[in-house]
Amino acid sequence: MPASPARRTALTVLRRVEEQGAFADRALHGDARELDPRDRALAKRLVFGTIQRRGTLDWIIARHVTRKLDPQVRAALLIGLYQLLYTDVPAHAAVAESVELAKPSPGAKLVNAVLRKVQREGVHLPSDDTPEGAAIVHSHPEWLTRMWWDWLGPDEARALLAADNEPAELALRINPLAGVDVDLKGRREDDAIVVEGPIDVLAHPLYAAGAITPQSRASQRVARALDPQPGERILDVCAAPGGKTTHVAALMGDEGEIVAVEKHPQRARALEAQAKRLHASSVNVHVGDAKDLTAGRLGGTFDRVLIDPPCSGLGTLRTHPDLRWRATPEAIEVLRREQEAIVEAARGLLKPGGRLVYSTCTLSPREEVVDQGTVERTLPHRDGTDGFYIAVSDGDL
């Protein structure tokens, strides 16, 4: 009997991530498009969960297999182990379906043998009382575990590592510019609603009407920290995909001007489409490199400046599980230099006495390049939302 459509899709996506460097969410969006909602949800759970737990699962595989595995066999084994150890999928189904995924390779017999042994004997992971052990137990790179261990302390680090492997809450931003009542069930917090129960956001009529848009509660704090006022001139650098940009427009009642700068033309077009869907006519998209901005090119200076530069994204590991395996200390240093250059350019565009907000969706002290004024940091295990760093500077800089 062939494997289920959800599991076959999960195998395809996992292999694309592992072998081609694809981003899990984007690959899943394409490959799971034709599945029914239930199968699509299962495929997402298997892909995200297997990638999240890959470090632990690799550690387990290394204790049962001494030879290099064919990519299809390895992916099937990872998916099977994830189901056995971290889900309520019946063990017989997890084993049988994973064996089918590995066929026609002879390695299917190895998948069967390893999964049945783990089913019988379980696994014995190391203690998480050291960075090395915590990296294995909570499935994070050891360098990242050590960084958080030294920065936050062992207890906070362990709590953060564990939280990264939990499902993310589904937070939406309610957009008053749409002029549509939003009657979804959930917990309200300012413009945010944390939805209860399943919902296909992108297919919902409220999404098409521009009344709701997915955005974490932490991300929604950024525009509020900027505190834009109607009639002001606002600069938003590195603005795509536009969640914060359009939130700024909503807080201003769409009165004033928001110059949204985006370097990449394709992302700039997506930003324009996002602004149109969310009825943010005050947004004016400018294609250009944030490091090369001048008042002359942008028509003068600004009352408020929002800087949301490229970052390592280590605060979003619940929703982007593969980022933990992509990030490196070396890449963070490159990002820091880019962030510093963007901040230097943007500071020159702020009017005297204006407000500058610097935000990143990461938890990395090297990427906190603005530390003047008021600083806020959200932590997934403490705040239940993405990890963000937000620095607010008022007055002359």
Side-chain angles (χ1 to χ4, degrees), residues 231-306:
E232 289 186 329
R233 193 163 193 256
I234 311 293
L235 175 65
D236 182 2
V237 300
C238 310
K244 301 177 190 68
T245 314
T246 52
H247 193 191
V248 170
L251 293 175
M252 297 169 65
D254 206 31
E255 298 178 14
E257 181 187 14
I258 303 167
V259 177
V261 176
E262 173 54 45
K263 179 179 179 180
H264 303 285
Q266 185 174 355
R267 286 170 58 84
R269 289 191 292 271
L271 172 56
E272 289 177 332
Q274 177 84 315
K276 182 177 181 180
R277 181 180 69 84
L278 294 171
H279 310 277
S281 60
S282 57
V283 174
N284 177 20
V285 177
H286 174 89
V287 180
D289 192 325
K291 298 187 292 294
D292 299 328
L293 298 177
T294 64
R297 292 178 181 177
L298 298 180
T301 54
F302 296 84
D303 298 292
R304 299 172 197 265
V305 173
L306 171 57

Side-chain angles (χ1 to χ4, degrees), residues 126-138 142 145-146 149 154 158 161:
S127 169
D128 67 352
D129 58 359
T130 66
E132 298 90 340
I136 294 168
V137 172
H138 300 291
E142 188 174 321
T145 304
R146 288 185 178 277
W149 201 272
R158 279 192 292 265
L161 293 166

Side-chain angles (χ1 to χ4, degrees), residues 128 131 134 138 140 144-164 381:
D128 67 352
H138 300 291
H140 284 64
L144 177 56
T145 304
R146 288 185 178 277
M147 183 181 79
W148 285 346
W149 201 272
D150 295 340
W151 183 38
L152 301 172
D155 291 341
E156 286 268 4
R158 279 192 292 265
L160 174 56
L161 293 166
D164 277 346
H381 63 285

Side-chain angles (χ1 to χ4, degrees), residues 114-262:
V114 171
L115 292 180
R116 292 195 179 282
K117 184 175 182 181
V118 169
Q119 181 187 356
R120 289 194 310 271
E121 302 176 4
V123 297
H124 305 282
L125 299 176
S127 169
D128 67 352
D129 58 359
T130 66
E132 298 90 340
I136 294 168
V137 172
H138 300 291
S139 190
H140 284 64
E142 188 174 321
W143 70 267
L144 177 56
T145 304
R146 288 185 178 277
M147 183 181 79
W148 285 346
W149 201 272
D150 295 340
W151 183 38
L152 301 172
D155 291 341
E156 286 268 4
R158 279 192 292 265
L160 174 56
L161 293 166
D164 277 346
N165 295 323
E166 295 298 320
E169 66 179 21
L170 176 54
L172 308 176
R173 177 168 59 82
I174 297 173
N175 177 33
L177 298 180
V180 176
D181 289 334
V182 175
D183 58 356
L184 297 175
K185 292 182 179 180
R187 175 169 55 86
R188 291 291 298 269
E189 179 181 307
D190 295 324
D191 299 324
I193 180 168
V194 179
V195 179
E196 298 174 357
I199 177 176
D200 189 344
V201 176
L202 301 186
H204 201 283
L206 288 171
Y207 179 86
I212 58 172
T213 196
Q215 189 173 0
S216 75
R217 289 185 296 117
S219 176
Q220 293 186 45
R221 295 188 186 193
V222 176
R224 289 198 167 274
L226 189 68
D227 192 27
Q229 301 300 310
E232 289 186 329
R233 193 163 193 256
I234 311 293
L235 175 65
D236 182 2
V237 300
C238 310
K244 301 177 190 68
T245 314
T246 52
H247 193 191
V248 170
L251 293 175
M252 297 169 65
D254 206 31
E255 298 178 14
E257 181 187 14
I258 303 167
V259 177
V261 176
E262 173 54 45

Side-chain angles (χ1 to χ4, degrees), residues 11 70 72-73 76 97-108 111:
L11 181 78
D70 173 83
Q72 179 174 333
V73 171
E97 296 253 5
S98 299
V99 170
E100 290 299 318
L101 290 177
K103 292 179 178 178
S105 170
V111 171

